[in-house]
Amino acid sequence: MPTTTRRPAVFWEHRTYPGDLAHLSQVRSDLATDLTGFDPDLVDTVQLLTSELFANGVKYTDSGHTGGEVIRALSMPDPATLRVSLSDCGGGGGTPRIPTERTADAWDWAEGQRGLVLVQNLSTAWGHFRLAPWADLGTHVWAEFEVDPGQAPPGLRPYVFTR
């Protein structure tokens, strides 16, 4: 039976990064390049949230160990939505979640685990799923952002080569 899922209107070539926080500036720089022509505030927000998701992928999985990688995908599933996705290399990092057991005072004192709160509040939607959970191949985390179709750069092609 044919699938009814629509393909992205625009799909950027994936980028792969070593699972090391030293590459975070390259992740941000590549996003700025790939999103040339989009609203600068949108680009800043996407960079901020992608930085958080990249750091989580490195910190909580095998991506932070020798040979680990984080893969970034970027697409527009429709003319009004930009989606960034990151997949890590697994390693028992668990699934991303916002701690719900904290009180307001505990949140005031917390130094960590605020990143997903940023993701939740600055994106229009976000989510995650395990890549082959029976083999612990990693976690795929995505966030979506609203794009004014009239403000998208003209001439975007269905597939954008990034290198």
Side-chain angles (χ1 to χ4, degrees):
M1 173 190 286
T3 180
T4 58
T5 304
R6 292 188 59 207
R7 299 194 76 182
V10 180
F11 187 82
W12 283 258
E13 182 178 12
H14 287 45
R15 291 189 184 261
T16 303
Y17 303 94
D20 184 333
L21 290 178
H23 296 275
L24 188 53
S25 63
Q26 186 64 50
V27 172
R28 293 175 65 84
S29 175
D30 288 344
L31 273 170
T33 299
D34 294 345
L35 296 176
T36 297
F38 281 86
D39 180 283
D41 289 336
L42 173 65
V43 175
D44 288 345
T45 301
V46 173
Q47 285 178 309
L48 174 65
L49 298 192
T50 302
S51 296
E52 178 58 35
L53 297 176
F54 180 83
N56 283 351
V58 170
K59 180 178 180 181
Y60 294 111
T61 72
D62 282 344
S63 298
H65 301 286
T66 304
E69 296 178 325
V70 176
I71 300 168
R72 191 219 69 197
L74 189 63
S75 66
M76 290 183 73
D78 60 63
T81 306
L82 179 68
R83 175 184 273 207
V84 64
S85 308
L86 287 99
S87 298
D88 60 48
C89 290
T95 55
R97 71 178 189 88
I98 297 172
T100 57
E101 63 277 359
R102 288 187 179 162
T103 65
D105 286 339
W107 273 110
D108 287 342
W109 286 99
E111 291 188 30
Q113 298 181 322
R114 293 176 183 257
L116 290 179
V117 175
L118 278 174
V119 173
Q120 179 175 320
N121 288 306
L122 295 177
S123 65
T124 53
W126 76 281
H128 59 84
F129 58 87
R130 301 287 296 160
L131 300 169
W134 60 89
D136 195 22
L137 294 181
T139 302
H140 180 84
V141 183
W142 55 269
E144 291 183 345
F145 306 88
E146 188 175 323
V147 175
D148 177 350
Q151 297 294 320
L156 282 175
R157 297 178 317 274
Y159 190 81
V160 179
F161 290 97
T162 56
R163 304 212 196 270

